[in-house]
Short mmCIF file of all heavy atoms in Angstrom, two decimals:
data_model
loop_
_atom_site.label_atom_id
_atom_site.label_comp_id
_atom_site.label_asym_id
_atom_site.label_seq_id
_atom_site.Cartn_x
_atom_site.Cartn_y
_atom_site.Cartn_z
N SER A 154 4.71 -5.42 3.16
CA SER A 154 3.81 -6.11 2.24
C SER A 154 2.74 -6.88 3.01
O SER A 154 1.57 -6.93 2.59
CB SER A 154 4.60 -7.06 1.32
OG SER A 154 5.29 -8.04 2.07
N GLY A 155 3.10 -7.45 4.15
CA GLY A 155 2.14 -8.23 4.92
C GLY A 155 1.11 -7.38 5.64
O GLY A 155 -0.09 -7.72 5.67
N VAL A 156 1.53 -6.26 6.19
CA VAL A 156 0.60 -5.40 6.94
C VAL A 156 -0.40 -4.73 6.00
O VAL A 156 -1.61 -4.74 6.24
CB VAL A 156 1.37 -4.34 7.75
CG1 VAL A 156 0.43 -3.31 8.32
CG2 VAL A 156 2.16 -5.02 8.86
N ILE A 157 0.11 -4.15 4.91
CA ILE A 157 -0.79 -3.45 4.00
C ILE A 157 -1.79 -4.40 3.37
O ILE A 157 -3.01 -4.14 3.35
CB ILE A 157 0.02 -2.71 2.91
CG1 ILE A 157 0.85 -1.60 3.57
CG2 ILE A 157 -0.91 -2.12 1.84
CD1 ILE A 157 1.85 -0.94 2.63
N SER A 158 -1.31 -5.55 2.89
CA SER A 158 -2.24 -6.51 2.28
C SER A 158 -3.15 -7.16 3.30
O SER A 158 -4.21 -7.69 2.95
CB SER A 158 -1.45 -7.59 1.52
OG SER A 158 -0.60 -8.31 2.39
N GLY A 159 -2.76 -7.12 4.59
CA GLY A 159 -3.62 -7.66 5.63
C GLY A 159 -4.70 -6.70 6.10
O GLY A 159 -5.72 -7.12 6.64
N LEU A 160 -4.47 -5.40 5.87
CA LEU A 160 -5.42 -4.40 6.37
C LEU A 160 -6.44 -3.95 5.33
O LEU A 160 -7.54 -3.54 5.69
CB LEU A 160 -4.65 -3.17 6.87
CG LEU A 160 -3.89 -3.33 8.18
CD1 LEU A 160 -3.09 -2.06 8.48
CD2 LEU A 160 -4.82 -3.64 9.34
N VAL A 161 -6.04 -3.93 4.06
CA VAL A 161 -6.94 -3.44 3.01
C VAL A 161 -7.05 -4.45 1.90
O VAL A 161 -6.18 -5.31 1.70
CB VAL A 161 -6.46 -2.08 2.45
CG1 VAL A 161 -6.57 -0.99 3.50
CG2 VAL A 161 -5.03 -2.18 1.93
N ASN A 162 -8.13 -4.32 1.12
CA ASN A 162 -8.40 -5.27 0.05
C ASN A 162 -9.20 -4.55 -1.02
O ASN A 162 -9.30 -3.32 -1.02
CB ASN A 162 -9.16 -6.48 0.60
CG ASN A 162 -8.90 -7.75 -0.18
OD1 ASN A 162 -9.08 -7.78 -1.39
ND2 ASN A 162 -8.48 -8.80 0.51
N ARG A 163 -9.82 -5.32 -1.90
CA ARG A 163 -10.69 -4.72 -2.91
C ARG A 163 -11.78 -3.89 -2.22
O ARG A 163 -12.33 -4.30 -1.21
CB ARG A 163 -11.33 -5.79 -3.77
CG ARG A 163 -10.39 -6.47 -4.76
CD ARG A 163 -11.16 -7.32 -5.75
NE ARG A 163 -10.28 -7.96 -6.71
CZ ARG A 163 -9.82 -9.20 -6.61
NH1 ARG A 163 -10.20 -9.95 -5.58
NH2 ARG A 163 -9.02 -9.71 -7.52
N GLY A 164 -12.07 -2.74 -2.80
CA GLY A 164 -13.04 -1.85 -2.20
C GLY A 164 -12.44 -0.83 -1.26
O GLY A 164 -13.12 0.08 -0.79
N ASP A 165 -11.12 -0.97 -0.96
CA ASP A 165 -10.42 -0.04 -0.09
C ASP A 165 -9.45 0.80 -0.91
O ASP A 165 -9.27 0.58 -2.12
CB ASP A 165 -9.66 -0.80 1.00
CG ASP A 165 -10.57 -1.71 1.81
OD1 ASP A 165 -11.73 -1.32 2.04
OD2 ASP A 165 -10.13 -2.81 2.22
N VAL A 166 -8.78 1.75 -0.27
CA VAL A 166 -7.83 2.61 -0.98
C VAL A 166 -6.65 2.90 -0.07
O VAL A 166 -6.80 3.10 1.14
CB VAL A 166 -8.51 3.92 -1.45
CG1 VAL A 166 -9.13 4.68 -0.28
CG2 VAL A 166 -7.53 4.81 -2.22
N VAL A 167 -5.46 2.92 -0.68
CA VAL A 167 -4.23 3.28 0.03
C VAL A 167 -3.68 4.56 -0.59
O VAL A 167 -3.50 4.65 -1.81
CB VAL A 167 -3.17 2.17 -0.07
CG1 VAL A 167 -1.91 2.58 0.69
CG2 VAL A 167 -3.71 0.86 0.47
N PHE A 168 -3.41 5.54 0.26
CA PHE A 168 -2.81 6.80 -0.16
C PHE A 168 -1.33 6.74 0.18
O PHE A 168 -0.96 6.68 1.36
CB PHE A 168 -3.49 7.97 0.54
CG PHE A 168 -4.98 8.02 0.30
CD1 PHE A 168 -5.85 7.38 1.18
CD2 PHE A 168 -5.51 8.68 -0.79
CE1 PHE A 168 -7.22 7.40 0.98
CE2 PHE A 168 -6.88 8.70 -1.01
CZ PHE A 168 -7.73 8.06 -0.13
N SER A 169 -0.50 6.75 -0.84
CA SER A 169 0.93 6.48 -0.66
C SER A 169 1.77 7.56 -1.32
O SER A 169 1.52 7.94 -2.48
CB SER A 169 1.26 5.10 -1.26
OG SER A 169 2.65 4.85 -1.24
N ASP A 170 2.76 8.08 -0.60
CA ASP A 170 3.68 9.05 -1.16
C ASP A 170 4.41 8.44 -2.37
O ASP A 170 4.80 7.28 -2.35
CB ASP A 170 4.71 9.48 -0.10
CG ASP A 170 5.55 10.66 -0.53
OD1 ASP A 170 6.37 10.52 -1.44
OD2 ASP A 170 5.37 11.75 0.06
N GLN A 171 4.60 9.24 -3.41
CA GLN A 171 5.23 8.73 -4.63
C GLN A 171 6.65 8.23 -4.43
O GLN A 171 7.14 7.44 -5.22
CB GLN A 171 5.21 9.81 -5.72
CG GLN A 171 3.86 9.99 -6.39
CD GLN A 171 3.93 10.95 -7.56
OE1 GLN A 171 4.76 11.86 -7.58
NE2 GLN A 171 3.05 10.77 -8.53
N LEU A 172 7.32 8.67 -3.38
CA LEU A 172 8.70 8.24 -3.13
C LEU A 172 8.79 7.18 -2.04
O LEU A 172 9.89 6.89 -1.55
CB LEU A 172 9.58 9.44 -2.79
CG LEU A 172 9.76 10.48 -3.90
CD1 LEU A 172 10.81 11.51 -3.49
CD2 LEU A 172 10.14 9.83 -5.23
N ASN A 173 7.67 6.59 -1.65
CA ASN A 173 7.70 5.52 -0.66
C ASN A 173 8.52 4.33 -1.17
O ASN A 173 8.65 4.10 -2.37
CB ASN A 173 6.29 5.04 -0.33
CG ASN A 173 5.61 5.87 0.72
OD1 ASN A 173 6.26 6.60 1.48
ND2 ASN A 173 4.30 5.78 0.80
N HIS A 174 9.02 3.56 -0.22
CA HIS A 174 9.85 2.39 -0.53
C HIS A 174 9.08 1.36 -1.35
O HIS A 174 7.85 1.26 -1.26
CB HIS A 174 10.34 1.75 0.77
CG HIS A 174 11.40 0.74 0.58
ND1 HIS A 174 11.13 -0.61 0.47
CD2 HIS A 174 12.75 0.86 0.45
CE1 HIS A 174 12.26 -1.27 0.31
NE2 HIS A 174 13.26 -0.41 0.29
N ALA A 175 9.83 0.59 -2.15
CA ALA A 175 9.22 -0.41 -3.02
C ALA A 175 8.40 -1.44 -2.25
O ALA A 175 7.41 -1.97 -2.78
CB ALA A 175 10.31 -1.12 -3.83
N SER A 176 8.77 -1.72 -1.02
CA SER A 176 8.02 -2.71 -0.22
C SER A 176 6.62 -2.20 0.08
O SER A 176 5.67 -3.00 0.19
CB SER A 176 8.76 -3.01 1.08
OG SER A 176 8.96 -1.83 1.84
N ILE A 177 6.46 -0.90 0.21
CA ILE A 177 5.13 -0.32 0.41
C ILE A 177 4.33 -0.42 -0.88
O ILE A 177 3.16 -0.83 -0.87
CB ILE A 177 5.25 1.15 0.87
CG1 ILE A 177 5.87 1.21 2.27
CG2 ILE A 177 3.89 1.84 0.85
CD1 ILE A 177 6.18 2.62 2.75
N VAL A 178 4.95 -0.08 -1.99
CA VAL A 178 4.28 -0.16 -3.29
C VAL A 178 3.81 -1.59 -3.55
O VAL A 178 2.66 -1.83 -3.96
CB VAL A 178 5.22 0.31 -4.41
CG1 VAL A 178 4.57 0.12 -5.78
CG2 VAL A 178 5.61 1.77 -4.21
N ASP A 179 4.68 -2.55 -3.31
CA ASP A 179 4.32 -3.94 -3.57
C ASP A 179 3.24 -4.42 -2.61
O ASP A 179 2.40 -5.26 -2.97
CB ASP A 179 5.56 -4.83 -3.47
CG ASP A 179 6.51 -4.62 -4.64
OD1 ASP A 179 6.17 -3.82 -5.54
OD2 ASP A 179 7.59 -5.23 -4.66
N GLY A 180 3.25 -3.91 -1.37
CA GLY A 180 2.19 -4.26 -0.43
C GLY A 180 0.84 -3.80 -0.93
O GLY A 180 -0.18 -4.52 -0.79
#
């Protein structure tokens, strides 16, 4: 959650596998 929210913000996009862990989704 800390790394993803620290690297991207509004105006950015995250491409995430549908079965990724909940911590990735929440990030």
Side-chain angles (χ1 to χ4, degrees):
S154 60
V156 170
I157 294 171
S158 61
L160 288 176
V161 293
N162 208 306
R163 287 192 179 96
D165 303 325
V166 57
V167 180
F168 303 91
S169 174
D170 191 291
Q171 283 186 331
L172 295 188
N173 276 341
H174 192 265
S176 58
I177 293 173
V178 175
D179 289 357

